[in-house]
Amino acid sequence: MNKKYQNKKITMAHGSGGKASSDLIKDIFVDTFNNDYLATMEDQARLDMPTGQLALTTDSFVVSPLFFKGGDIGKLAITGTVNDLAMSGAKPLYLTCGLILEEGLSIDILDKIIKSMQKTAIEAGVKVVCGDTKVVEKGSADKIFINTAGVGVIDKGVEIHAYKATVGDKIIVNGFIGDHGATIMQSRTELAISADIDSDCQVLNHLVQKMLSVSSNIHSLRDATRGGVATVLNEIASDSKVCISIKEDALPIRVPTRGVCEILGLDPLYLANEGTLVCVVAEQDADQVLTAMKCTKEGENACIIGEVTTGPEGIVALKTLFGGTKIIDKLIGDQLPRIC
Amino acid sequence: MKYVDEFRDPKQAKKILLEIDKLCTEIVLPEDRPIQIMEVCGGHTHSIFRYGLNQLLPKKLEFVHGPGCPVCVLPRSVVDNCIRIAENEDVIFTTFGDAMRVPGSEKSLLDLKADGRDIRMVYSPLDAMTIAQNNPDKRVVFFGLGFETTMPSTALSIMQAKKLGVDNFYLFCNHITIIPTIKAVLDSPGMRIDGFLGPGHVSLIIGTKPYHFIADEYQKPLVAAGFEPLDILQSVWMILKQLKNGEAKVENQYKRLVNDNGNASALSPIAEVFELREFFEWRGLGSINHSGVKINDKYRQYDAEAVFKLKEVTVTDPDVCQCGEVLKGVLKPWQCKVFGKECTPEIPLGALMVSTEGACSAHYSYGQNIDLINQKL
């Protein structure tokens, strides 16, 4: 990082639109994101129109703490938007980056976050092509808020929707569930729990393209972020007007994540993930999709957790280890730790 | 997971379930009515639904969800008093997660937090005391609730505050005791519980001896039970065995943690800091004598009730609410007039819909349509 920013903090001047603003934009953002579109420093990026359907999405990131095991707010901001595009089958291309900075934020921390964003953007194969920075008075924000928007292109013939699940389809997840939520819980300073878990924060666009290369019968895809796998399954069951049945003994949950959930009385099915997708695929293609997923880093722990069945519409049912059934309902409010 | 998975073994569960089935056919009750076992503790209710145990047991056996969820039995007047305290500009109000959503007359603590008041969720009262140490210009209040399970840590935080001279830390004490509660259930008209699953966490503190009156005076079996599925199934089997043999004893299934005499190092801070209240109001059950505790004179300076001059107001539940009947096992959750209609987990009228451990909330989330789904799957 440029030496003039070492041990310096964000001041209102960095949001004033004057020299301090333009220096910060040039030195921290343009130099780090480093691409021809951004380098023009125009008020807009000018992009050629690709063929196929255009996918557009936006998301805001306000996580606390800013840095956690396996990721940080910058990595989240890129993965979140890239993954939202990828879940339509789109190839993500360009992202924007809007920042709200709290007066007093260390520029070292800002630089670290922006570098993490760029590293993740390179991994995903996307470019951050324009952005915006605002500085607000101390107390008006929590250190840094990031908004990212993204565009991508969906190839002709790719039709993936939450309403397309049909009876007989298999439900696949690409890996362990609940790790991000458990990591964030553990990172919060008030919790003295020690467990060896990293967030699953990762981009999924390459994995999705690999899946699409072996099957044209992927009906639904969702990344299971806030609300977790349970919420995604409920959305698909409701939109497709089907019943989804999952098996408790098929759910991939790491032992430390289970441990954190046991202690706090939480259900890993409702914990947030940042690199976990739920795929609904036609039965005849399920094995080849699973095999293709397992050949990738992002999908090496992929497994089938259930299927779409006849039954009451919009219901997600879980077969317990003991053969009982319980309904996995939509989450009401936030999961709150129980007293005992 | 060691010490957990051993108690979740489906093969073992099947064996016990067969034994339970057999015992159920051998027990004959008047008018061929079902055998009713009350799980006193909300933790047991949660486990029963979580593992679908209620569906695996014979139809002749019914679980009745008792008054052991501290959130469910919290009267609205107490939540109103929490709000009165938290509305003070110089107060940081702290409590456990699931107390945040309980509705008062007009709003919950979560609503008040959204209004901008400083309300924080903590995992231990000692964390609340640390917040007091770090904010000497604020008054930090911990809303203490729960049975004997959570009482020792609250008592220890008060003792620690005294030892360290932290004089801006206060406790709004709404801890409750289990024994008068079980007695109130046993004395209620129309009571037809055949046996009790004794609460595991509470028993860890108080031991099993305080339950002996249940067997001696009321001739009902009680088995102190752990929270894993095999714990619960084994405890049910132990109760059924007593019923078959015409016995009424207090037994301890949770021996790996529960000592018959209780835990002296947990009981001692309770005795040091608290004394019994003459009366304490329960949501849905009314006032039960000596069922709550308050801070004793020795630690009076930490008592939020005195410092904030709280009013003792009784706020009755809406007329349509039948939480009391459900808590006493007279009505099943779905037999309540407003269950699933005016009263849902999103907009709870009665407290049993608030906590995930509440009988109504558990039935609403896990119980509805279950027979239909089982037929189809």
Side-chain angles (χ1 to χ4, degrees), chain A residues 195-335:
Chain A
D196 187 17
I197 324 168
D198 285 353
S199 166
D200 61 342
C201 188
Q202 60 182 341
V203 289
L204 296 171
N205 54 322
H206 305 306
L207 170 67
V208 171
Q209 290 307 314
K210 179 88 181 168
M211 293 158 69
L212 286 170
S213 73
V214 298
S215 170
S216 55
N217 289 308
I218 292 173
H219 294 155
S220 312
L221 274 180
R222 279 275 162 96
D223 58 337
T225 52
R226 271 186 312 163
V229 170
T231 300
V232 165
L233 292 173
N234 268 287
E235 286 167 356
I236 294 172
S238 167
D239 289 358
S240 297
K241 299 186 173 52
V242 293
C243 180
I244 290 178
S245 170
I246 56 171
K247 290 182 178 168
E248 188 173 20
D249 58 4
L251 295 175
I253 302 167
R254 284 186 207 277
V255 170
T257 300
R258 274 178 62 200
V260 168
C261 287
E262 289 291 332
I263 290 168
L264 297 177
L266 305 175
D267 186 340
L269 273 173
Y270 292 98
L271 285 186
N273 308 275
E274 289 297 342
T276 300
L277 62 77
V278 176
C279 165
V280 181
V281 59
E283 189 179 7
Q284 72 269 21
D285 284 7
D287 285 342
Q288 65 213 48
V289 168
L290 193 63
T291 307
M293 290 171 84
K294 282 175 175 290
C295 293
T296 66
K297 176 174 70 69
E298 301 91 337
E300 61 184 352
N301 296 305
C303 58
I304 294 174
I305 61 165
E307 59 193 357
V308 180
T309 61
T310 55
E313 285 180 4
I315 291 285
V316 179
L318 177 132
K319 273 275 171 206
T320 71
L321 289 171
F322 302 94
T325 305
K326 73 174 183 181
I327 295 178
I328 304 296
D329 209 353
K330 292 184 187 79
L331 184 61
I332 293 156
D334 285 329
Q335 279 203 102

Side-chain angles (χ1 to χ4, degrees), chain A residues 185 190-191 243 245 248 255 258-259 262 264 309-312 315 317 319-327 329 332-334 336-340, chain B residues 1 5 8 10 13 46 49-51 55-56 71 96-98 101 121 123 127 145 150 229 345-346 356-357 365-366 368 370 372-374 376-377:
Chain A
M185 288 274 176
E190 67 264 31
L191 264 181
C243 180
S245 170
E248 188 173 20
V255 170
R258 274 178 62 200
E262 289 291 332
L264 297 177
T309 61
T310 55
I315 291 285
K319 273 275 171 206
T320 71
L321 289 171
F322 302 94
T325 305
K326 73 174 183 181
I327 295 178
D329 209 353
I332 293 156
D334 285 329
L336 295 174
R338 302 199 311 269
I339 289 177
C340 64
Chain B
M1 248 184 318
D5 290 339
R8 295 181 185 176
H46 186 81
F49 283 109
R50 179 176 169 190
Y51 298 102
Q55 300 154 50
L56 302 175
V71 168
F96 295 127
D98 48 0
R101 210 161 30 208
M121 188 177 76
Y123 295 87
D127 293 341
L145 71 163
T150 49
E346 282 165 297
T356 51
E357 290 183 4
S365 299
Y366 300 140
Q368 296 192 93
I370 214 79
L372 180 63
I373 291 165
N374 273 329
K376 296 262 190 179
L377 294 180

